[in-house]
Amino acid sequence: MFVSSNTLEIRFYWAGKETQAVPNKSVYGPLISAISVESDSPPGRISTGAIVGIVVATTIIMILVFGILWWKGCFGKKNSLARELESLGLQTGLFTLRQIKAATNNFDVSNKIGEGGFGPVYKGCLPNGTLIAVKQLSSKSKQGNREFLYEIGMISALQNPYLVKLYGFCEEGDQLLLIYEYLENNSLARALFGPEEHQIKLDWSTRQKICVGIARGLAYLHEESRLKFVHRDIKATNVLLDTNLDPKISDFGLAKLDEEDNTHISTRIAGT
């Protein structure tokens, strides 16, 4: 038996009287009762191998966690728009360009579902399966960051069944994007005047429902919301239809905050 860097302790006990008698010679001397090994190391000390293993495992776990959070955009540096939104007390989602590119397959032309004054609109799908409509600010658009901020602020402040829901926005580099809910039946204009394969036969009761829905959405914007807005660009392309052909008003880029003398009168030319 070899023992190194430790103390080997062997304990004996007396088993009875020994005898040298003949012919029954026997040994009744001391017998081993226990064997124990006593370490020279301080009590409770963890071996170097165990420490190395714990450190390596912890490091790997931290890298994985930070990698997942980075991929989700949790460590994106807050940009000027995000800070301005917080200062206004507006709660809206902040998406990364990486997330939007993944959702729209890098803005693939096959996912393009429309083109407006703001820019092209793309269909996308988030990792959780949620379908989205991404409105991309075109480089030739005159709408800048300030107007973009107002649009985000206005839409996020409005909650009504007849208004398109805003999920959030993205501002990275020269990209300005709005992320809306996706409406399956596109715009009222396409349903009425689009290519034949996209047209929807609307009976009079459905047409009445759409008209009343638009009126209720405008009534909410003009009179019922906490902050009153005038849309000023209502047309068939700015009315979207959901699965049940219920209308939702979209495109608030030209909306005007109704604060001046509480009046709806405006002589400024806007829209179509």
Side-chain angles (χ1 to χ4, degrees), residues 3-74:
V3 179
S4 61
S5 301
N6 291 285
T7 301
L8 176 63
E9 182 179 323
I10 303 176
R11 299 178 185 178
F12 296 89
Y13 75 98
W14 184 253
K17 295 181 179 181
E18 60 180 329
T19 176
Q20 298 293 330
V22 178
N24 299 318
K25 181 179 179 180
S26 301
V27 178
Y28 300 95
L31 296 178
I32 297 176
S33 65
I35 297 177
S36 64
V37 177
E38 180 180 336
S39 174
D40 294 333
S41 302
R45 181 177 177 182
I46 303 176
S47 66
T48 303
I51 293 175
V52 172
I54 293 173
V55 171
V56 171
T58 303
T59 303
I60 292 174
I61 292 173
M62 290 180 65
I63 291 174
L64 289 174
V65 171
F66 280 103
I68 293 172
L69 292 177
W70 176 82
W71 182 78
K72 289 181 174 291
C74 296

Side-chain angles (χ1 to χ4, degrees), residues 150-165:
Y150 288 153
E151 177 156 351
I152 294 170
M154 287 187 290
I155 299 174
S156 64
L158 301 175
Q159 299 292 330
N160 187 271
Y162 298 103
L163 301 180
V164 176
K165 183 177 180 181

Side-chain angles (χ1 to χ4, degrees), residues 17 43 79 90 148 160 164 185 198 216 227 231 241 257:
K17 295 181 179 181
N79 49 45
L90 301 174
F148 183 75
N160 187 271
V164 176
N185 285 310
H198 294 304
R216 286 176 175 170
L227 298 174
H231 190 288
L241 303 175
L257 184 61

Side-chain angles (χ1 to χ4, degrees), residues 100-132:
I100 301 305
K101 282 186 175 181
T104 60
N105 194 20
N106 199 21
F107 302 104
D108 190 276
V109 66
S110 63
N111 287 321
K112 187 175 179 180
I113 56 177
E115 180 89 27
F118 189 97
V121 182
Y122 295 87
K123 178 182 178 181
C125 183
L126 297 177
N128 63 3
T130 301
L131 295 177
I132 56 174

Side-chain angles (χ1 to χ4, degrees), residues 138-152:
S138 61
S139 58
K140 58 186 177 181
S141 173
K142 296 181 180 179
Q143 184 172 8
N145 286 28
R146 177 60 54 182
E147 289 76 14
F148 183 75
L149 172 63
Y150 288 153
E151 177 156 351
I152 294 170

Side-chain angles (χ1 to χ4, degrees), residues 190-238:
R190 192 180 78 164
L192 294 174
F193 315 117
E196 188 173 350
E197 65 270 17
H198 294 304
Q199 289 185 15
I200 302 175
K201 293 184 178 180
L202 304 175
D203 56 32
W204 286 110
S205 62
T206 302
R207 291 171 185 249
Q208 181 187 30
K209 179 180 72 170
I210 292 173
C211 290
V212 171
I214 295 171
R216 286 176 175 170
L218 290 175
Y220 173 81
L221 287 172
H222 293 174
E223 303 293 345
E224 299 168 8
S225 62
R226 181 174 59 87
L227 298 174
K228 297 179 177 60
F229 301 92
V230 179
H231 190 288
R232 300 200 304 162
D233 194 21
I234 286 295
K235 53 186 178 182
T237 53
N238 285 337

